mmCIF file of all heavy atoms in Angstrom:
data_model
loop_
_atom_site.group_PDB
_atom_site.id
_atom_site.type_symbol
_atom_site.label_atom_id
_atom_site.label_comp_id
_atom_site.label_asym_id
_atom_site.label_seq_id
_atom_site.Cartn_x
_atom_site.Cartn_y
_atom_site.Cartn_z
ATOM 1 N N ASP A 280 26.241 93.722 30.635
ATOM 2 C CA ASP A 280 25.370 92.710 30.023
ATOM 3 C C ASP A 280 24.037 93.288 29.548
ATOM 4 O O ASP A 280 23.351 92.667 28.736
ATOM 5 C CB ASP A 280 25.100 91.566 31.004
ATOM 6 C CG ASP A 280 26.334 90.733 31.282
ATOM 7 O OD1 ASP A 280 27.311 90.820 30.497
ATOM 8 O OD2 ASP A 280 26.331 89.999 32.284
ATOM 9 N N ASP A 281 23.649 94.458 30.057
ATOM 10 C CA ASP A 281 22.384 95.086 29.678
ATOM 11 C C ASP A 281 22.495 95.919 28.404
ATOM 12 O O ASP A 281 21.494 96.389 27.887
ATOM 13 C CB ASP A 281 21.885 95.984 30.817
ATOM 14 C CG ASP A 281 21.631 95.198 32.092
ATOM 15 O OD1 ASP A 281 21.007 94.119 32.002
ATOM 16 O OD2 ASP A 281 22.073 95.656 33.161
ATOM 17 N N ILE A 282 23.702 96.098 27.904
ATOM 18 C CA ILE A 282 23.920 96.935 26.718
ATOM 19 C C ILE A 282 23.669 96.101 25.469
ATOM 20 O O ILE A 282 24.347 95.095 25.233
ATOM 21 C CB ILE A 282 25.346 97.522 26.719
ATOM 22 C CG1 ILE A 282 25.549 98.374 27.962
ATOM 23 C CG2 ILE A 282 25.591 98.325 25.452
ATOM 24 C CD1 ILE A 282 26.979 98.792 28.185
ATOM 25 N N LYS A 283 22.686 96.539 24.689
ATOM 26 C CA LYS A 283 22.325 95.826 23.471
ATOM 27 C C LYS A 283 22.063 96.849 22.360
ATOM 28 O O LYS A 283 20.927 97.252 22.138
ATOM 29 C CB LYS A 283 21.098 94.954 23.710
ATOM 30 C CG LYS A 283 21.359 93.929 24.827
ATOM 31 C CD LYS A 283 20.303 92.896 24.932
ATOM 32 C CE LYS A 283 20.501 91.906 26.043
ATOM 33 N NZ LYS A 283 21.715 91.816 26.745
ATOM 34 N N PRO A 284 23.142 97.285 21.673
ATOM 35 C CA PRO A 284 22.984 98.316 20.633
ATOM 36 C C PRO A 284 22.044 97.887 19.520
ATOM 37 O O PRO A 284 21.995 96.721 19.148
ATOM 38 C CB PRO A 284 24.401 98.507 20.094
ATOM 39 C CG PRO A 284 25.308 97.855 21.074
ATOM 40 C CD PRO A 284 24.503 96.836 21.805
ATOM 41 N N GLU A 285 21.310 98.876 18.993
ATOM 42 C CA GLU A 285 20.430 98.643 17.846
ATOM 43 C C GLU A 285 21.138 98.975 16.544
ATOM 44 O O GLU A 285 20.641 98.651 15.477
ATOM 45 C CB GLU A 285 19.169 99.501 17.974
ATOM 46 C CG GLU A 285 18.308 99.143 19.162
ATOM 47 C CD GLU A 285 17.118 100.067 19.325
ATOM 48 O OE1 GLU A 285 16.861 100.911 18.440
ATOM 49 O OE2 GLU A 285 16.429 99.957 20.355
ATOM 50 N N ASP A 286 22.277 99.670 16.609
ATOM 51 C CA ASP A 286 23.007 100.040 15.399
ATOM 52 C C ASP A 286 24.438 99.513 15.498
ATOM 53 O O ASP A 286 24.803 98.860 16.462
ATOM 54 C CB ASP A 286 22.967 101.554 15.167
ATOM 55 C CG ASP A 286 23.644 102.353 16.279
ATOM 56 O OD1 ASP A 286 24.524 101.800 16.984
ATOM 57 O OD2 ASP A 286 23.314 103.531 16.441
ATOM 58 N N GLN A 287 25.230 99.809 14.504
ATOM 59 C CA GLN A 287 26.616 99.329 14.450
ATOM 60 C C GLN A 287 27.611 100.482 14.522
ATOM 61 O O GLN A 287 28.704 100.398 13.980
ATOM 62 C CB GLN A 287 26.822 98.539 13.147
ATOM 63 C CG GLN A 287 25.937 97.316 13.025
ATOM 64 C CD GLN A 287 26.221 96.312 14.120
ATOM 65 O OE1 GLN A 287 27.368 95.990 14.415
ATOM 66 N NE2 GLN A 287 25.170 95.811 14.757
ATOM 67 N N GLU A 288 27.248 101.585 15.214
ATOM 68 C CA GLU A 288 28.114 102.757 15.268
ATOM 69 C C GLU A 288 29.285 102.587 16.230
ATOM 70 O O GLU A 288 30.258 103.323 16.151
ATOM 71 C CB GLU A 288 27.305 104.006 15.643
ATOM 72 C CG GLU A 288 26.325 104.410 14.570
ATOM 73 C CD GLU A 288 25.564 105.678 14.912
ATOM 74 O OE1 GLU A 288 26.044 106.467 15.748
ATOM 75 O OE2 GLU A 288 24.494 105.880 14.322
ATOM 76 N N SER A 289 29.191 101.641 17.141
ATOM 77 C CA SER A 289 30.225 101.465 18.159
ATOM 78 C C SER A 289 31.006 100.180 17.923
ATOM 79 O O SER A 289 30.438 99.163 17.546
ATOM 80 C CB SER A 289 29.591 101.382 19.549
ATOM 81 O OG SER A 289 28.796 102.498 19.805
ATOM 82 N N LEU A 290 32.321 100.247 18.188
ATOM 83 C CA LEU A 290 33.119 99.029 18.189
ATOM 84 C C LEU A 290 32.811 98.222 19.438
ATOM 85 O O LEU A 290 32.739 97.003 19.391
ATOM 86 C CB LEU A 290 34.614 99.374 18.128
ATOM 87 C CG LEU A 290 35.070 100.013 16.825
ATOM 88 C CD1 LEU A 290 36.513 100.496 16.938
ATOM 89 C CD2 LEU A 290 34.928 99.030 15.673
ATOM 90 N N PHE A 291 32.669 98.934 20.572
ATOM 91 C CA PHE A 291 32.195 98.293 21.797
ATOM 92 C C PHE A 291 31.784 99.362 22.800
ATOM 93 O O PHE A 291 32.126 100.528 22.664
ATOM 94 C CB PHE A 291 33.212 97.321 22.403
ATOM 95 C CG PHE A 291 34.460 97.964 22.951
ATOM 96 C CD1 PHE A 291 34.521 98.409 24.261
ATOM 97 C CD2 PHE A 291 35.577 98.107 22.160
ATOM 98 C CE1 PHE A 291 35.667 98.988 24.772
ATOM 99 C CE2 PHE A 291 36.730 98.693 22.669
ATOM 100 C CZ PHE A 291 36.781 99.128 23.971
ATOM 101 N N LEU A 292 31.014 98.932 23.806
ATOM 102 C CA LEU A 292 30.565 99.797 24.897
ATOM 103 C C LEU A 292 30.902 99.107 26.203
ATOM 104 O O LEU A 292 30.820 97.882 26.312
ATOM 105 C CB LEU A 292 29.056 100.032 24.812
ATOM 106 C CG LEU A 292 28.602 100.810 23.586
ATOM 107 C CD1 LEU A 292 27.777 99.941 22.685
ATOM 108 C CD2 LEU A 292 27.834 102.033 24.006
ATOM 109 N N HIS A 293 31.264 99.933 27.203
ATOM 110 C CA HIS A 293 31.673 99.358 28.482
ATOM 111 C C HIS A 293 31.508 100.404 29.577
ATOM 112 O O HIS A 293 31.753 101.593 29.351
ATOM 113 C CB HIS A 293 33.132 98.903 28.382
ATOM 114 C CG HIS A 293 33.724 98.393 29.656
ATOM 115 N ND1 HIS A 293 33.310 97.221 30.258
ATOM 116 C CD2 HIS A 293 34.696 98.888 30.451
ATOM 117 C CE1 HIS A 293 34.016 97.019 31.348
ATOM 118 N NE2 HIS A 293 34.857 98.028 31.502
ATOM 119 N N PHE A 294 31.109 99.956 30.768
ATOM 120 C CA PHE A 294 31.091 100.810 31.948
ATOM 121 C C PHE A 294 32.499 100.798 32.559
ATOM 122 O O PHE A 294 32.989 99.748 32.959
ATOM 123 C CB PHE A 294 30.080 100.301 32.987
ATOM 124 C CG PHE A 294 28.660 100.672 32.682
ATOM 125 C CD1 PHE A 294 27.805 99.757 32.090
ATOM 126 C CD2 PHE A 294 28.170 101.935 33.001
ATOM 127 C CE1 PHE A 294 26.482 100.093 31.818
ATOM 128 C CE2 PHE A 294 26.859 102.281 32.737
ATOM 129 C CZ PHE A 294 26.010 101.357 32.145
ATOM 130 N N PHE A 295 33.135 101.966 32.608
ATOM 131 C CA PHE A 295 34.495 102.102 33.118
ATOM 132 C C PHE A 295 34.485 102.725 34.508
ATOM 133 O O PHE A 295 33.823 103.751 34.728
ATOM 134 C CB PHE A 295 35.323 103.026 32.215
ATOM 135 C CG PHE A 295 35.665 102.453 30.877
ATOM 136 C CD1 PHE A 295 34.778 102.559 29.810
ATOM 137 C CD2 PHE A 295 36.886 101.842 30.673
ATOM 138 C CE1 PHE A 295 35.098 102.043 28.564
ATOM 139 C CE2 PHE A 295 37.228 101.330 29.427
ATOM 140 C CZ PHE A 295 36.329 101.432 28.368
ATOM 141 N N SER A 296 35.272 102.163 35.426
ATOM 142 C CA SER A 296 35.511 102.840 36.699
ATOM 143 C C SER A 296 36.479 103.991 36.421
ATOM 144 O O SER A 296 37.148 104.013 35.384
ATOM 145 C CB SER A 296 36.110 101.880 37.730
ATOM 146 O OG SER A 296 37.442 101.567 37.386
ATOM 147 N N LYS A 297 36.571 104.925 37.358
ATOM 148 C CA LYS A 297 37.459 106.074 37.122
ATOM 149 C C LYS A 297 38.908 105.630 36.974
ATOM 150 O O LYS A 297 39.684 106.278 36.281
ATOM 151 C CB LYS A 297 37.302 107.127 38.215
ATOM 152 C CG LYS A 297 37.786 106.716 39.571
ATOM 153 C CD LYS A 297 37.634 107.847 40.569
ATOM 154 C CE LYS A 297 38.181 107.431 41.919
ATOM 155 N NZ LYS A 297 38.143 108.501 42.881
ATOM 156 N N ASP A 298 39.283 104.503 37.567
ATOM 157 C CA ASP A 298 40.654 104.003 37.466
ATOM 158 C C ASP A 298 40.931 103.265 36.155
ATOM 159 O O ASP A 298 42.095 103.011 35.836
ATOM 160 C CB ASP A 298 40.960 103.067 38.638
ATOM 161 C CG ASP A 298 40.857 103.770 39.980
ATOM 162 O OD1 ASP A 298 41.165 104.984 40.044
ATOM 163 O OD2 ASP A 298 40.449 103.119 40.966
ATOM 164 N N GLU A 299 39.887 102.908 35.421
ATOM 165 C CA GLU A 299 40.042 102.162 34.159
ATOM 166 C C GLU A 299 39.917 103.042 32.924
ATOM 167 O O GLU A 299 40.030 102.547 31.806
ATOM 168 C CB GLU A 299 38.943 101.107 34.003
ATOM 169 C CG GLU A 299 38.760 100.112 35.092
ATOM 170 C CD GLU A 299 37.555 99.229 34.829
ATOM 171 O OE1 GLU A 299 36.431 99.749 34.673
ATOM 172 O OE2 GLU A 299 37.761 98.005 34.776
ATOM 173 N N LEU A 300 39.621 104.325 33.096
ATOM 174 C CA LEU A 300 39.332 105.182 31.950
ATOM 175 C C LEU A 300 40.485 105.204 30.947
ATOM 176 O O LEU A 300 41.655 105.222 31.350
ATOM 177 C CB LEU A 300 39.047 106.608 32.415
ATOM 178 C CG LEU A 300 37.731 106.811 33.150
ATOM 179 C CD1 LEU A 300 37.671 108.217 33.750
ATOM 180 C CD2 LEU A 300 36.552 106.566 32.233
ATOM 181 N N PRO A 301 40.156 105.209 29.660
ATOM 182 C CA PRO A 301 41.203 105.328 28.644
ATOM 183 C C PRO A 301 41.931 106.670 28.793
ATOM 184 O O PRO A 301 41.397 107.615 29.377
ATOM 185 C CB PRO A 301 40.425 105.280 27.318
ATOM 186 C CG PRO A 301 39.092 104.720 27.661
ATOM 187 C CD PRO A 301 38.824 105.087 29.080
ATOM 188 N N PRO A 302 43.138 106.781 28.240
ATOM 189 C CA PRO A 302 43.867 108.055 28.313
ATOM 190 C C PRO A 302 43.170 109.152 27.505
ATOM 191 O O PRO A 302 42.433 108.867 26.553
ATOM 192 C CB PRO A 302 45.236 107.724 27.723
ATOM 193 C CG PRO A 302 45.099 106.418 27.044
ATOM 194 C CD PRO A 302 43.893 105.727 27.583
ATOM 195 N N GLN A 303 43.404 110.388 27.895
ATOM 196 C CA GLN A 303 42.749 111.547 27.282
ATOM 197 C C GLN A 303 42.878 111.560 25.765
ATOM 198 O O GLN A 303 41.924 111.894 25.063
ATOM 199 C CB GLN A 303 43.321 112.832 27.866
ATOM 200 C CG GLN A 303 42.696 114.084 27.286
ATOM 201 C CD GLN A 303 43.199 115.363 27.932
ATOM 202 O OE1 GLN A 303 43.973 115.332 28.884
ATOM 203 N NE2 GLN A 303 42.755 116.484 27.412
ATOM 204 N N GLU A 304 44.029 111.200 25.233
ATOM 205 C CA GLU A 304 44.245 111.268 23.782
ATOM 206 C C GLU A 304 43.388 110.260 23.008
ATOM 207 O O GLU A 304 43.272 110.367 21.782
ATOM 208 C CB GLU A 304 45.727 111.120 23.423
ATOM 209 C CG GLU A 304 46.362 109.830 23.860
ATOM 210 C CD GLU A 304 46.946 109.866 25.278
ATOM 211 O OE1 GLU A 304 46.737 110.839 26.031
ATOM 212 O OE2 GLU A 304 47.602 108.871 25.639
ATOM 213 N N GLU A 305 42.754 109.325 23.702
ATOM 214 C CA GLU A 305 41.883 108.360 23.034
ATOM 215 C C GLU A 305 40.401 108.763 23.100
ATOM 216 O O GLU A 305 39.538 107.997 22.675
ATOM 217 C CB GLU A 305 42.075 106.968 23.643
ATOM 218 C CG GLU A 305 43.454 106.397 23.367
ATOM 219 C CD GLU A 305 43.647 105.009 23.938
ATOM 220 O OE1 GLU A 305 42.640 104.298 24.154
ATOM 221 O OE2 GLU A 305 44.814 104.628 24.175
ATOM 222 N N PHE A 306 40.126 109.957 23.620
ATOM 223 C CA PHE A 306 38.756 110.472 23.761
ATOM 224 C C PHE A 306 38.451 111.536 22.718
ATOM 225 O O PHE A 306 39.341 112.299 22.316
ATOM 226 C CB PHE A 306 38.602 111.188 25.115
ATOM 227 C CG PHE A 306 38.152 110.342 26.250
ATOM 228 C CD1 PHE A 306 39.069 109.654 27.022
ATOM 229 C CD2 PHE A 306 36.810 110.259 26.592
ATOM 230 C CE1 PHE A 306 38.666 108.906 28.105
ATOM 231 C CE2 PHE A 306 36.391 109.510 27.672
ATOM 232 C CZ PHE A 306 37.328 108.830 28.435
ATOM 233 N N LEU A 307 37.167 111.645 22.357
ATOM 234 C CA LEU A 307 36.702 112.875 21.721
ATOM 235 C C LEU A 307 36.827 113.974 22.771
ATOM 236 O O LEU A 307 36.475 113.759 23.937
ATOM 237 C CB LEU A 307 35.241 112.751 21.286
ATOM 238 C CG LEU A 307 34.944 111.966 20.027
ATOM 239 C CD1 LEU A 307 33.443 111.928 19.772
ATOM 240 C CD2 LEU A 307 35.654 112.562 18.842
ATOM 241 N N PRO A 308 37.315 115.152 22.394
ATOM 242 C CA PRO A 308 37.577 116.191 23.405
ATOM 243 C C PRO A 308 36.378 116.565 24.278
ATOM 244 O O PRO A 308 36.524 116.701 25.492
ATOM 245 C CB PRO A 308 38.048 117.383 22.563
ATOM 246 C CG PRO A 308 38.636 116.762 21.345
ATOM 247 C CD PRO A 308 37.783 115.541 21.073
ATOM 248 N N ASN A 309 35.210 116.750 23.697
ATOM 249 C CA ASN A 309 34.067 117.169 24.514
ATOM 250 C C ASN A 309 33.596 116.068 25.454
ATOM 251 O O ASN A 309 33.140 116.341 26.565
ATOM 252 C CB ASN A 309 32.929 117.685 23.641
ATOM 253 C CG ASN A 309 33.213 119.086 23.128
ATOM 254 O OD1 ASN A 309 34.152 119.752 23.573
ATOM 255 N ND2 ASN A 309 32.411 119.533 22.197
ATOM 256 N N SER A 310 33.719 114.813 25.042
ATOM 257 C CA SER A 310 33.370 113.715 25.944
ATOM 258 C C SER A 310 34.335 113.672 27.118
ATOM 259 O O SER A 310 33.923 113.485 28.265
ATOM 260 C CB SER A 310 33.399 112.374 25.205
ATOM 261 O OG SER A 310 32.305 112.264 24.320
ATOM 262 N N TYR A 311 35.619 113.872 26.841
ATOM 263 C CA TYR A 311 36.603 113.876 27.922
ATOM 264 C C TYR A 311 36.303 115.001 28.905
ATOM 265 O O TYR A 311 36.351 114.798 30.126
ATOM 266 C CB TYR A 311 38.025 114.019 27.360
ATOM 267 C CG TYR A 311 39.073 113.905 28.428
ATOM 268 C CD1 TYR A 311 39.462 112.652 28.905
ATOM 269 C CD2 TYR A 311 39.665 115.033 28.986
ATOM 270 C CE1 TYR A 311 40.416 112.530 29.901
ATOM 271 C CE2 TYR A 311 40.619 114.923 29.983
ATOM 272 C CZ TYR A 311 40.992 113.675 30.432
ATOM 273 O OH TYR A 311 41.929 113.556 31.434
ATOM 274 N N ALA A 312 35.964 116.185 28.392
ATOM 275 C CA ALA A 312 35.652 117.325 29.265
ATOM 276 C C ALA A 312 34.461 117.014 30.167
ATOM 277 O O ALA A 312 34.463 117.350 31.358
ATOM 278 C CB ALA A 312 35.380 118.569 28.423
ATOM 279 N N SER A 313 33.437 116.356 29.633
ATOM 280 C CA SER A 313 32.262 116.006 30.436
ATOM 281 C C SER A 313 32.600 114.987 31.514
ATOM 282 O O SER A 313 32.145 115.103 32.653
ATOM 283 C CB SER A 313 31.144 115.470 29.540
ATOM 284 O OG SER A 313 30.679 116.470 28.671
ATOM 285 N N VAL A 314 33.410 113.987 31.169
ATOM 286 C CA VAL A 314 33.809 112.976 32.144
ATOM 287 C C VAL A 314 34.611 113.629 33.268
ATOM 288 O O VAL A 314 34.387 113.352 34.448
ATOM 289 C CB VAL A 314 34.610 111.836 31.464
ATOM 290 C CG1 VAL A 314 35.273 110.933 32.492
ATOM 291 C CG2 VAL A 314 33.693 111.022 30.550
#
């Protein structure tokens, strides 16, 4: 509820638990590596 984007670069933003994370193939590679 605290997320209030100033731009339109994202389709959506969400805090994910480790059990809810999207599959690797749906990530940018470097973001997946950091997670």
Side-chain angles (χ1 to χ4, degrees):
D280 291 343
D281 299 314
I282 300 170
K283 301 191 182 348
E285 296 176 8
D286 63 24
Q287 299 298 314
E288 293 182 22
S289 305
L290 293 172
F291 68 88
L292 295 114
H293 175 68
F294 280 100
F295 290 86
S296 71
K297 68 178 182 176
D298 298 327
E299 305 175 303
L300 289 171
Q303 180 176 356
E304 60 272 9
E305 293 181 23
F306 269 88
L307 283 179
N309 283 349
S310 288
Y311 185 80
S313 295
V314 168

